[in-house]
């Protein structure tokens, strides 16, 4: 099972078991995304960098897929990940493993 599948399972479990808290969180994030002046591709690229900074394998996978499905190129996704490294230093380099794996699945 890949990281995106694990994330989907986790999100489904949250929907089922977290009462009203998780749906409200999803509503909040959807509202931010829909009424932003930043296009969805750029939002996903920002999420890629934030996922790297958060060191979240599942988030990296989901947001790379989101960026690609919104038209981001492999190079743009790599640049977003590299910007996180420029802010987070060498610990973030180790999370490039997940970026490379996801980009291979999507672009190679």
């Amino acid at each position: 099972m890949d990281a995106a599948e694990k994330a989907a399972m986790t999100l489904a479990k949250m929907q089922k078991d977290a009462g009203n808290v998780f749906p409200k969180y999803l509503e909040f994030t959807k509202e931010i995304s829909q009424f932003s002046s930043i296009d969805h591709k750029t939002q996903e690229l920002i999420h890629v960098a934030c996922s790297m900074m958060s060191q979240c394998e599942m988030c990296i996978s989901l947001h790379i897929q989101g960026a690609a499905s919104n038209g981001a190129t492999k190079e743009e996704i790599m640049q977003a990940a590299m910007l996180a490294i420029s802010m987070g230093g060498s610990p973030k380099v180790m999370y490039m493993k997940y970026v490379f794996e996801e980009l291979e699945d999507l672009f190679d």
Side-chain angles (χ1 to χ4, degrees), residues 14-28:
M14 289 291 294
Q15 285 274 39
K16 180 181 170 211
D17 296 340
N20 289 331
V21 174
F22 191 64
K24 289 181 182 194
Y25 167 76
L26 291 176
E27 184 179 316
F28 169 73

Side-chain angles (χ1 to χ4, degrees), residues 1-3 10 13 15 22 24-25 29 54 57-58 64 67 74 89 94 101 104 107-108:
M1 177 182 314
D2 70 14
T10 300
K13 185 126 177 85
Q15 285 274 39
F22 191 64
K24 289 181 182 194
Y25 167 76
T29 59
S54 299
E57 176 190 352
M58 289 186 272
I64 287 175
K74 182 177 181 179
M94 299 303 115
E101 288 173 355
E104 275 183 24
F107 290 99
D108 292 335

Side-chain angles (χ1 to χ4, degrees), residues 53-68:
M53 292 299 292
S54 299
Q55 298 177 309
C56 175
E57 176 190 352
M58 289 186 272
C59 301
I60 292 167
S61 180
L62 287 174
H63 291 298
I64 287 175
Q65 289 180 22

